[in-house]
Amino acid sequence: GASLVFREGQMAPNETIIFSDITEAIPGLAGQEDLSGSVRIESESPSGCKVLSVSRTFNSTEYGTLGLFVPALPVKNLSGEFLDITGLMNDSDYRSNLRLVNFGDEDVWVGLKLFQRSGEQIGEDRSLQVLGNSTTQINDVTTWFGVEDTLKHFSIRADVTGLDVQAFGTVVDNLTGDSVLFMSTFNGENKVWLVGVANQQGVNDSLWQTDIWLHNPTDEWLAGEVKFVDGDDPSTAYGFQWPVLNPKKTKPYLDIVAGQFQLEDVRGYLLLTGADGSPAPLVSARTYNQDPGGGTYGLNLRPFTSENLLYAGEAGYIAGVTNSADPEIGFRTNLGILNTEEELWSSVRISVFNLDGTQAADPWSVTIPPGVYRQWDIFDKLGLGEQDTAGSIRIEILEGGGHAVFATEIDNLTQDSIFIPAQEKLVGPPPE
């Protein structure tokens, strides 16, 4: 919880600053080991516009890199009383950690409960003190709850009533150290889009596949439909009714494209719809790659609801992405856009900015048919593929309805990657 201010300065319009290994940039921390915490960025401008940020926590091992997307979390009051996290596992292959972040100045106690996949609570209610402005991690969270047996597909509920606290879980591969991050995303909406779902061959004779977990965080029974849509051909869609989920129950679908839909060598998206206007369940998902070249690839997929789609007249930003001219080292960036509308065509304009805020190439405009998912190596698409480039991307929706927009930053050596959803511009009151 100790505060260490290490930099103050100004940023030009559309400028991007990259800190490689952030702890090495903070005076007094360089060279230290076993550090864990949070970075807070405070900014102001005459218009009230705030800076946007993104980060990854990674780990160089003999099996490849661990790339864990760490979301930037605006300090704001949560609308709900609980945060539910699902898709967690604890067995010989995986372990699960829980992290709590307190944005407030005061120390708080957070109540926690553990639920089996059946929806039954296991272990006793527990609580944890989180100091003001601090980050607390519970390693091997099932053991902390007193559960020593294997526990697959479980969920955790954090009581954050009236607190400035966020929670997320990480599922860690015991062999490689690779992990995925799952957050609570439930907001009671009827439709949820999950983009980046696949069963498809990759490099090194590897196979990309997608696991999802459906969790009912409510006190009511939930029913509805899951539909897989081929991203290139929305007329090719396959659906099924998920089994009715009783309260707190979790239903896993491992390798859902091949296992549930009997499809291979396809990629696209899932649309989950609650029955009779009821909420769609909380969804956790990962697309991963059992790579014979070494290591597992775990890419967390963030679900989209209507409130985090981009609409006509809005713009989204993806900060701090890079491109290597050498395809064997460094990184590349794929940009994905899904037009969620079933009837409306859309028009989108994409701009890439250098680190200094100048435009790296002329803006590119593209139309996307209804229900179609498009993905590009965006630096290559804009003629920058043979350059070592870093900067940020702006995506403007010129016409159409709701769009799910994200990027994947991919390690060229290991094919490990992180999933970065677009952020809308943050504007607060201008300074007095």
Side-chain angles (χ1 to χ4, degrees), residues 33 56 91 131 163 171 208 210 259 296 299 337 352-353 397:
E33 298 180 352
R56 69 171 186 136
D91 56 20
L131 302 178
L163 303 179
V171 179
W208 296 13
T210 300
T296 60
L299 176 68
I337 302 178
V352 174
F353 297 93
I397 309 302

Side-chain angles (χ1 to χ4, degrees), residues 326-342:
D326 185 344
E328 302 298 322
I329 60 174
F331 298 87
R332 66 185 186 274
T333 301
N334 288 339
L335 176 67
I337 302 178
L338 166 65
N339 178 2
T340 67
E341 299 295 328
E342 297 180 356

Side-chain angles (χ1 to χ4, degrees), residues 87 89 117 152-153 199 209-213 251-261 286 288:
M89 292 187 285
R117 60 180 293 182
K152 289 190 176 183
H153 315 305
N199 181 282
Q209 49 197 309
T210 300
D211 295 342
I212 77 166
W213 293 263
K251 174 64 177 176
Y253 291 97
L254 306 182
D255 192 8
I256 186 172
V257 176
Q260 188 67 34
F261 295 104
R286 67 168 186 154
Y288 67 102

Side-chain angles (χ1 to χ4, degrees), residues 174-242:
N174 288 329
L175 174 64
T176 66
D178 191 29
S179 68
V180 289
L181 180 147
F182 294 141
M183 296 187 66
S184 180
T185 58
F186 183 79
N187 62 3
E189 291 206 18
N190 176 248
K191 292 182 182 292
V192 172
W193 291 266
L194 194 66
V195 191
V197 177
N199 181 282
Q200 195 169 50
Q201 294 294 321
V203 300
N204 299 330
D205 298 320
S206 59
L207 177 66
W208 296 13
Q209 49 197 309
T210 300
D211 295 342
I212 77 166
W213 293 263
L214 306 183
H215 176 69
N216 177 7
T218 75
D219 294 324
E220 307 294 332
W221 295 70
L222 291 184
E225 180 187 50
V226 182
K227 182 168 68 174
F228 174 78
V229 183
D230 186 316
D232 296 316
D233 182 11
S235 65
T236 305
Y238 307 82
F240 70 92
Q241 303 291 322
W242 74 69

Side-chain angles (χ1 to χ4, degrees), residues 319-369:
V321 290
T322 60
N323 180 77
S324 172
D326 185 344
E328 302 298 322
I329 60 174
F331 298 87
R332 66 185 186 274
T333 301
N334 288 339
L335 176 67
I337 302 178
L338 166 65
N339 178 2
T340 67
E341 299 295 328
E342 297 180 356
E343 298 181 357
L344 291 177
W345 283 67
S346 68
S347 177
V348 179
R349 181 166 58 213
I350 302 165
S351 303
V352 174
F353 297 93
N354 294 311
L355 293 179
D356 63 4
T358 59
Q359 287 204 347
D362 291 334
W364 177 55
S365 295
V366 60
T367 56
I368 304 177

